[in-house]
Amino acid sequence: QVKLEESGGGSVQAGGSLRLSCTASPNIDSTNVMGWFRQAPGKEREGVSATQTGGGATDYGDSVDGRFTASLDKANNAVYLYMKSLRPEDTAIYYCAAADRIGSILAGRIEALDAWGQGTPVTVSS
């Protein structure tokens, strides 16, 4: 089973940028789709991005589309999430996830995921 480890979270002011990283072991090719979901205190899980590891196609959640960009780095078995124009409502724990289908990650369906990491916190202050 693939193991995922996130890094790169932190605190930033509104309008700022952050890049999250996720490393997959043993390798990224053991997954069909890799992406990110988030969960803020008291709120439901929300899909952020999901990328097909074979073809590279990426879909995004509606609330981040146009502000967040996901990318794969197969040489380093990693997926990145570059977040810009951050808003206070983006504050959450961000989790890296692996799944068979893009929709499983974007729907935030834990039961449909192959694996997810421990999460990394992102705090955006106004």
Side-chain angles (χ1 to χ4, degrees), residues 2 4 24-34 52-55 72-78 98-100 114:
V2 65
L4 305 174
S25 59
N27 59 65
I28 201 170
D29 289 329
S30 60
T31 69
N32 289 332
V33 177
M34 286 192 66
Q52 294 177 336
T53 57
L72 290 177
D73 179 357
K74 287 198 170 186
N76 291 300
N77 293 305
D100 281 340
D114 294 332

Side-chain angles (χ1 to χ4, degrees), residues 15-98:
S17 303
L18 279 175
R19 190 185 80 159
L20 306 182
S21 301
C22 172
T23 301
S25 59
N27 59 65
I28 201 170
D29 289 329
S30 60
T31 69
N32 289 332
V33 177
M34 286 192 66
W36 300 85
F37 68 91
R38 66 187 183 184
Q39 188 162 25
K43 295 187 177 180
E44 294 186 352
R45 285 183 296 274
E46 178 185 16
V48 175
S49 72
T51 301
Q52 294 177 336
T53 57
T58 300
D59 282 345
Y60 296 92
D62 290 341
S63 63
V64 306
D65 200 4
R67 299 187 297 122
F68 291 10
T69 303
S71 62
L72 290 177
D73 179 357
K74 287 198 170 186
N76 291 300
N77 293 305
V79 61
Y80 307 110
L81 183 68
Y82 180 68
M83 308 181 293
K84 66 178 184 179
S85 301
L86 284 162
R87 305 166 180 166
E89 54 264 40
D90 293 318
T91 295
I93 305 295
Y94 283 71
Y95 298 87
C96 181

